Amino acid sequence: MLGICCHWLREEVKPKSGQKILVNEMEERSLQLGRYRSGKYAPDYIRKTYLHNVDSLARMLPKIRSSGVRLFRMSSALLPLADQVDRSLWDNEHLISSLKKVGDFVKSNGMRLTTHPGQFCVLSSDSETVVVNAFRELSIHAWMMDCMGLEVSPKWAINIHGGKMNKTEALLNRIDKLPENVRGRLTLENDESCYNVIDLLEVYQRSGIPICFDTHHHVFNDGGISTDEAHAATAETWPIDVKPLQHISNTEPSLSNGSFSDRRKHSDMIHYVTQPQLEGLMNDEIDVEVECKMKNIGVFKMAQDFNIPL
């Protein structure tokens, strides 16, 4: 099935100018580290921000499900600065109750929920501070899924990249020390610079962590194997009762002859799908998060253009 990442976009027309704009209906609120450190946020404001964000997710899920979509990646910034603030601001009965409502809806409606912590969540870093922060961030994501009542399984993926190049031993060492509620949901995604599928297969063989195959990243860092081979190899890393999770994006056609930086950017829409991924979707053998900039609009156009069921 096809999945939407983090946001739900709606097109609006400005009354005076008639200009068309896109509005994110998720209404997620953020917190800035500098303002927090300078005391600009009262504890009650932070607490209400977290509750607002989780309640916003709970309100959007029925709309997402009614559209036919059953796979959604929740924002990694649902609880901004949770690793910085006093734990009581998020670990409290009100937020736990709201998270449970999210989980209840997801489970009763046959949905799959995942998350993708940001670029600074690096288990293989040389910096002890970065690693400690990564453990803390991953643990908070796992805590949310625990509160939702989602079992410890890569079905509910907490997906990250391998991180620092040529640090496989460090990555494996840190994975081994993760709490079970993190480790049991963890997936690793190939990227365009450091860890390709071949690199991650070694990590899988020694840790059992499944690989989330990203076809766009594979174009830039294929490890000497074809897309077909990578698709087949990564699919085998998943438990038999969990559909493999994959990602898709494209290079924007107008940038196809551009620099590496231009070509690696995610496209607005999906213009092509690799054959193994297309067949996997048609046969309902894989779940694919669509990482195009137009979010739900791009997902629905992709489904229509390639005759893919949601």
Side-chain angles (χ1 to χ4, degrees):
M1 57 189 175
L2 296 177
I4 297 170
C5 295
C6 304
H7 299 146
W8 181 280
L9 302 180
R10 181 186 74 248
E11 191 176 75
E12 284 188 358
V13 179
K14 287 187 174 181
K16 293 183 178 179
S17 66
Q19 179 187 6
K20 291 183 178 179
I21 59 171
L22 290 174
V23 176
N24 175 23
E25 288 192 38
M26 293 299 294
E27 300 179 344
E28 187 177 276
R29 294 176 184 170
S30 62
L31 299 171
Q32 297 176 0
L33 181 59
R35 289 180 63 81
Y36 167 69
R37 286 179 172 171
S38 61
K40 302 294 184 183
Y41 300 128
D44 191 52
Y45 180 84
I46 297 172
R47 192 181 297 109
K48 287 180 178 178
T49 295
Y50 296 157
L51 193 58
H52 167 89
N53 287 350
V54 174
D55 285 346
S56 178
L57 173 61
R59 287 193 301 271
M60 282 305 304
L61 284 174
K63 183 169 186 174
I64 293 166
R65 183 64 188 90
S66 66
S67 75
V69 171
R70 291 173 290 137
L71 170 61
F72 185 72
R73 179 197 297 174
M74 65 179 178
S75 171
S76 61
L78 205 63
L79 306 182
L81 304 185
D83 60 339
Q84 300 287 322
V85 307
D86 188 276
R87 182 175 180 126
S88 65
L89 297 180
W90 46 270
D91 189 355
N92 55 68
E93 61 178 331
H94 299 293
L95 195 67
I96 291 171
S97 177
S98 292
L99 287 166
K100 184 179 183 301
K101 290 177 183 177
V102 169
D104 288 346
F105 183 87
V106 166
K107 291 183 292 182
S108 64
N109 285 273
M111 297 185 74
R112 184 177 188 180
L113 201 66
T114 70
T115 189
H116 191 359
Q119 61 179 326
F120 300 112
C121 186
V122 183
L123 287 177
S124 55
S125 174
D126 290 331
S127 166
E128 186 62 27
T129 299
V130 171
V131 174
V132 168
N133 289 340
F135 267 68
R136 186 179 296 122
E137 183 175 1
L138 291 169
S139 294
I140 292 170
H141 281 78
W143 174 85
M144 286 193 290
M145 289 183 165
D146 288 345
C147 292
M148 291 176 186
L150 307 178
E151 72 263 32
V152 178
S153 162
K155 175 180 179 179
W156 317 104
I158 301 175
N159 183 59
I160 62 172
H161 292 280
K164 191 172 177 62
M165 184 181 291
N166 299 322
K167 292 291 181 178
T168 298
E169 294 303 322
L171 177 60
L172 284 163
N173 180 264
R174 276 70 182 263
I175 287 172
D176 189 55
K177 293 179 180 178
L178 287 169
E180 180 53 33
N181 65 341
V182 176
R183 196 181 191 283
R185 296 183 176 107
L186 192 70
T187 64
L188 292 172
E189 175 187 349
N190 60 298
D191 64 65
E192 69 269 37
S193 300
C194 299
Y195 286 81
N196 56 43
V197 168
I198 294 297
D199 297 325
L200 292 184
L201 283 171
E202 179 185 351
V203 177
Y204 161 72
Q205 289 162 3
R206 298 173 61 185
S207 69
I209 302 299
I211 301 172
C212 176
F213 180 45
D214 187 305
T215 55
H216 186 53
H217 293 161
H218 186 72
V219 170
F220 302 97
N221 186 15
D222 62 16
I225 62 174
S226 69
T227 299
D228 291 57
E229 291 170 323
H231 175 91
T234 55
E236 291 179 0
T237 66
W238 288 79
I240 193 168
D241 60 339
V242 179
K243 276 198 292 182
L245 182 69
Q246 296 189 0
H247 293 172
I248 186 172
S249 182
N250 299 156
T251 294
E252 199 66 54
S254 62
L255 299 176
S256 59
N257 294 318
S259 65
F260 173 84
S261 179
D262 283 339
R263 289 181 289 114
R264 69 186 286 272
K265 294 175 183 175
H266 291 174
S267 54
D268 287 344
M269 298 288 189
I270 298 301
H271 307 282
Y272 59 89
V273 185
T274 64
Q275 192 59 34
Q277 200 167 57
L278 183 60
E279 290 177 1
L281 283 165
M282 296 299 290
N283 295 328
D284 195 28
E285 296 170 342
I286 56 176
D287 289 342
V288 178
E289 293 177 345
V290 183
E291 294 187 318
C292 63
K293 293 179 181 177
M294 293 300 287
K295 305 299 181 180
N296 50 296
I297 297 171
V299 168
F300 299 137
K301 188 175 188 303
M302 176 185 174
Q304 183 178 44
D305 289 350
F306 296 95
N307 196 31
I308 299 171
L310 292 174

